[in-house]
Amino acid sequence: QRLAGEASTAMPTASFPITYEKVDFEVVPQNLLGGGWPSSPIRIQLGNYAPAALMVASAVIYYGLVKLVMPATRPTSEASRKRLGAVRDAHNLFLFVFSAVCCISTAFWLYSEGQLFSWSKLMCVPVEGTWLRLLSVVFLLSKIWEWG
């Protein structure tokens, strides 16, 4: 039994209600930027096996891009190869800087919350309701873009 004023040592329970059948996922937490914006969390909510359909559709679209679109749009002249190389280099530099900002800001947040050096806190404390949720979603999208 705890004494009055003593902090609880119980860890919050993380839940990920994401299955092939349905999704309920917080993208932007309430009051992220202060001033009451957004007034309620912005969530992705899908049902009726839409997550499974999106998963299969994304695989089919990716296959079509790799087998049809990419070969048809491959640069053929030396000038277009140089131009594509410059765009690719700028693109890769931007992704590198963005990933570094994500890494540093996440490490700072975990350190300030006392989670960086505790495996149980690091793995079990949910990010729902914090700006880290939005950062993790945007980082995930950048990795999908990078691998595509």
Side-chain angles (χ1 to χ4, degrees), residues 62-104:
Y62 182 77
Y63 182 79
L65 285 172
V66 168
K67 292 296 185 180
L68 302 173
V69 175
M70 296 301 194
T73 59
R74 183 171 290 144
T76 55
S77 69
E78 188 60 36
S80 63
R81 283 190 195 110
K82 267 189 179 176
R83 195 169 40 250
L84 181 63
V87 170
R88 183 193 61 227
D89 291 346
H91 173 263
N92 289 343
L93 179 63
F94 171 77
L95 286 174
F96 164 74
V97 170
F98 179 74
S99 294
V101 167
C102 288
C103 178
I104 291 166

Side-chain angles (χ1 to χ4, degrees), residues 22-145:
K22 63 183 178 175
V23 169
D24 182 6
F25 185 75
E26 179 182 79
V27 179
V28 180
Q30 180 178 358
N31 198 25
L32 175 69
L33 299 178
W37 188 89
S39 59
S40 62
I42 298 172
R43 305 185 74 81
I44 294 176
Q45 296 175 324
L46 302 171
N48 298 325
Y49 291 94
L54 287 171
M55 204 177 311
V56 171
S58 67
V60 170
I61 290 169
Y62 182 77
Y63 182 79
L65 285 172
V66 168
K67 292 296 185 180
L68 302 173
V69 175
M70 296 301 194
T73 59
R74 183 171 290 144
T76 55
S77 69
E78 188 60 36
S80 63
R81 283 190 195 110
K82 267 189 179 176
R83 195 169 40 250
L84 181 63
V87 170
R88 183 193 61 227
D89 291 346
H91 173 263
N92 289 343
L93 179 63
F94 171 77
L95 286 174
F96 164 74
V97 170
F98 179 74
S99 294
V101 167
C102 288
C103 178
I104 291 166
S105 59
T106 299
F108 176 78
W109 186 82
L110 290 171
Y111 180 76
S112 68
E113 294 292 314
Q115 297 179 32
L116 189 59
F117 301 110
S118 168
W119 280 107
S120 62
K121 288 181 182 179
L122 186 65
M123 301 303 286
C124 298
V125 175
V127 296
E128 295 286 327
T130 68
W131 61 268
L132 201 57
R133 167 55 69 209
L134 179 61
L135 183 67
S136 69
V137 170
V138 175
F139 181 77
L140 173 67
L141 293 174
S142 79
K143 294 299 118 185
I144 292 169
W145 175 261

